[in-house]
């Protein structure tokens, strides 16, 4: 089997069938608990497992830890429109296409825009627009028209137009849309979901799925973390629908990872630098992927200096494995410093990039020391990430959770994983 320098085996040769476990349907949490902090917390510390509750988290963390949260906010990306004959068509907004590809600008767009969407119940939607009448958050009557332009690879380009045309598209989604609950929660979204499918620290609109590890935190727990001397920081990764994309390939080499945009401030980069080498814990898999992406973005800048010219800031799916030997001498401090220098040269305080990073067994972590996360689906890239962190111990963690009645997936219980 192929190996990389310091890594074995080659993660591209992994079979997803080796990362499965039996998950009965009744173990999938269909509803959130009324009290976020009442969720259970499985603690795995150097392979030793203990059972706690999430409100116990501050007493279980390594001393002097820095916790990194993903502050993305879920947008109401599901639109239920009607054909002229009355039939319903579901449009799930995935990413903006025109006039802006930037998510921030696309949500500010007024009057019209084009998005790539998943289309549900669209077989009888032959031509012409579908419409959706709604009331704005200020009580104004409004109408959205959607027309299909092209169909490709299971998605469609949808041209949206609305009146009043002065409304930004963000307001259209807020007023007319529905929360995109995960496909394994087979029920309509409710008023409870509008609150509980957002973290209490959500700030930057753009995700179509919640960073579910953060759903357990309460203002009281965050205050207790500060009182106990723990540091916190925020990154933004806008989670796309690809997070639910099943792995259908025999081997991971044939599975394309979805790209997701990330936003990281210079202040956070400086915070990470100042905190080294003390523990950094990722709150959720998206925070972990963002933090590890930062290292590889810095490596890219050091290997191909951009000077004052804009540089494509992207980490590809297999970059860490292919560049492991070349990057062996590059420290996390050097990578973070390279990013700060790049931002200074560009005259900006915010790093905007995208990542396709696949973290799988064989990956060597550079920036994180542990992970707070929920329990993930069998045969998923998220379970691969957990296996990369814990090694073979991931099976003991999931066997214990199943044997001790933990609740699984987005609205389920939590774990603190400290390898």
């Amino acid at each position: 089997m192929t190996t990389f320098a310091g890594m074995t085996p080659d993660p591209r040769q992994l079979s997803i069938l080796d990362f499965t476990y039996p998950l009965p349907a009744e173990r999938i949490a269909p509803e959130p608990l009324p009290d976020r902090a009442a969720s259970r917390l499985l603690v795995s510390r150097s392979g030793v497992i203990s059972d706690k509750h999430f409100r116990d988290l501050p007493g279980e963390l390594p001393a002097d830890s820095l916790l990194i949260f993903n502050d993305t906010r879920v947008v109401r990306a599901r639109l239920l429109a009607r054909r002229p004959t009355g039939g319903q068509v579901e449009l799930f907004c995935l990413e903006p296409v025109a006039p802006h590809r930037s998510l921030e600008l696309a949500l500010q767009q007024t009057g019209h825009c084009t998005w790539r969407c998943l289309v549900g119940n669209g077989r009888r939607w032959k031509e012409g627009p579908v419409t959706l009448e709604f009331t704005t958050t200020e009580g104004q009557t409004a109408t959205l028209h959607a027309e299909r332009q092209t169909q490709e690879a299971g998605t469609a380009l949808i041209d949206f137009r609305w009146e009043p045309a002065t409304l930004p598209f963000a307001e259209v989604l807020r007023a007319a849309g529905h929360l995109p609950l995960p496909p394994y929660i087979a029920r309509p979204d409710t008023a409870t979901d509008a609150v509980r499918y957002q973290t209490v620290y959500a700030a930057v609109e753009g995700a179509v799925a919640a960073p579910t590890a953060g759903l357990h935190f309460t203002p009281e727990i965050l205050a207790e973390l500060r009182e106990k001397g723990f540091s916190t920081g925020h990154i933004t990764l806008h989670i796309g629908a690809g997070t639910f994309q099943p792995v259908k390939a025999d081997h991971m080499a044939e599975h394309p990872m979805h790209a997701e945009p990330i936003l990281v401030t210079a202040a956070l980069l400086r915070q990470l630098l100042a905190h080294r080498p003390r523990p950094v814990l990722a709150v959720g898999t998206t925070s972990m992927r963002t933090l590890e992406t930062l290292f590889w973005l810095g490596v890219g800048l050091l290997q191909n200096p951009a000077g004052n010219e804009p540089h494509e800031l992207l980490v590809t799916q297999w970059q860490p494995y292919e560049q492991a030997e070349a990057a062996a001498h590059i420290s996390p401090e050097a990578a973070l410093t390279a990013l700060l220098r790049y931002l200074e040269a560009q005259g900006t305080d915010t790093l905007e990039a995208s990542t396709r990073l696949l973290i799988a067994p064989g990956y060597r972590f550079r920036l994180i020391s542990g992970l707070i996360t929920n329990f993930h689906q069998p045969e998923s890239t998220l379970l691969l990430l957990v296996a990369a962190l814990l090694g073979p111990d991931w099976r003991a963690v999931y066997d214990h959770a199943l044997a001790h009645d933990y609740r699984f997936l987005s609205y389920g219980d939590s774990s603190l994983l400290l390898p």
Side-chain angles (χ1 to χ4, degrees):
M1 182 176 289
T2 306
T3 61
F4 291 109
M7 297 185 179
T8 183
D10 177 348
R12 289 179 291 197
Q13 299 305 313
L14 292 173
S15 170
I16 197 64
L17 296 178
D18 292 330
F19 299 89
T20 192
Y21 65 91
L23 179 58
E26 62 269 19
R27 302 303 296 278
I28 299 173
E31 305 278 351
L33 296 179
D35 177 4
R36 295 175 186 261
S39 297
R40 298 177 68 195
L41 176 70
L42 183 153
V43 179
S44 175
R45 183 180 281 104
S46 301
V48 178
I49 296 173
S50 58
D51 300 305
K52 304 288 181 178
H53 284 89
F54 199 80
R55 58 172 47 90
D56 301 322
L57 177 72
E60 297 295 325
L61 297 172
D64 210 12
S65 292
L66 167 61
L67 279 69
I68 302 297
F69 297 84
N70 181 4
D71 64 5
T72 188
R73 186 172 185 83
V74 183
V75 295
R76 303 172 72 90
R78 290 177 58 243
L79 296 163
L80 305 179
R82 293 284 177 184
R83 302 193 311 271
T85 56
Q88 182 174 275
V89 174
E90 178 179 336
L91 303 173
F92 188 166
C93 298
L94 298 177
E95 60 181 3
V97 174
H100 307 290
R101 289 188 177 272
S102 161
L103 186 62
E104 180 180 0
L105 294 177
L107 290 174
Q108 295 173 6
Q109 176 67 22
T110 57
H112 68 93
C113 61
T114 302
W115 281 62
R116 184 178 307 282
C117 299
L118 292 173
V119 179
N121 196 30
R123 288 187 177 182
R124 295 185 180 180
W125 181 20
K126 302 301 182 183
E127 60 184 17
V130 293
T131 60
L132 171 58
E133 294 184 354
F134 62 99
T135 303
T136 70
T137 54
E138 295 183 351
Q140 191 175 17
T141 300
T143 305
L144 173 69
H145 307 275
E147 192 155 5
R148 182 162 45 193
Q149 294 183 343
T150 58
Q151 189 89 21
E152 53 183 70
T155 64
L157 295 186
I158 304 295
D159 183 59
F160 292 107
R161 296 182 181 276
W162 58 91
E163 301 95 26
T166 53
L167 293 175
F169 194 57
E171 170 62 14
V172 173
L173 293 179
R174 272 193 292 270
H178 293 261
L179 278 176
L181 294 177
Y184 45 76
I185 298 180
R187 60 171 176 78
D189 61 312
T190 66
T192 298
D193 296 310
V195 176
R196 289 291 278 107
Y197 199 59
Q198 303 279 9
T199 63
V200 297
Y201 48 82
V204 186
E205 284 194 320
V208 299
T212 55
L215 296 180
H216 308 284
F217 283 86
T218 64
E220 293 76 17
I221 289 177
L222 293 173
E224 185 178 351
L225 289 173
R226 291 190 292 270
E227 291 168 5
K228 289 182 177 293
F230 294 107
S231 303
T232 60
H234 293 84
I235 53 85
T236 305
L237 182 146
H238 290 311
I239 306 164
T243 193
F244 302 118
Q245 179 182 349
V247 178
K248 298 179 180 179
D250 290 337
H251 295 92
M252 292 310 298
E254 298 151 9
H255 175 74
M257 275 295 283
H258 54 287
E260 291 173 313
I262 65 173
L263 299 169
V264 178
T265 63
L268 189 279
L269 295 174
R270 287 191 288 267
Q271 186 179 16
L272 288 169
L273 264 176
H275 196 79
R276 298 280 305 168
R278 292 167 290 172
V280 175
L281 302 184
V283 178
T285 58
T286 55
S287 294
M288 174 185 276
R289 288 182 69 229
T290 302
L291 290 169
E292 293 298 312
T293 290
L294 292 177
F295 174 80
W296 292 103
L297 289 173
V299 167
L301 290 173
L302 289 168
Q303 293 178 339
N304 301 287
N308 291 321
E309 296 300 318
H311 192 87
E312 183 182 13
L313 296 176
L314 166 70
V315 172
T316 60
Q317 181 168 341
W318 302 113
Q319 179 181 339
Y321 309 97
E322 295 167 344
Q323 296 183 359
E325 187 172 357
H329 67 286
I330 297 177
S331 67
E333 290 83 357
L336 293 171
T337 299
L339 290 173
L340 282 168
R341 288 174 178 166
Y342 174 78
L343 292 181
E344 184 178 358
Q346 297 300 311
T348 180
D349 287 330
T350 302
L351 178 74
E352 298 187 35
S354 61
T355 183
R356 293 183 180 271
L357 175 61
L358 173 64
I359 297 178
Y363 183 85
R364 181 166 70 86
F365 291 91
R366 268 46 177 221
L367 286 175
I368 72 103
S369 311
L371 173 67
I372 298 167
T373 191
N374 286 18
F375 297 95
H376 304 293
Q377 286 182 294
E379 299 177 25
S380 65
T381 56
L382 302 180
L383 188 57
L384 282 177
L385 183 151
V386 171
L389 181 68
L390 295 183
D393 284 348
W394 78 265
R395 287 194 178 276
V397 165
Y398 275 69
D399 287 346
H400 183 96
L402 286 165
H404 291 78
D405 296 325
Y406 278 75
R407 302 162 74 245
F408 279 64
L409 306 188
S410 293
Y411 275 146
D413 293 317
S414 187
S415 64
L416 170 62
L417 307 178
L418 302 170

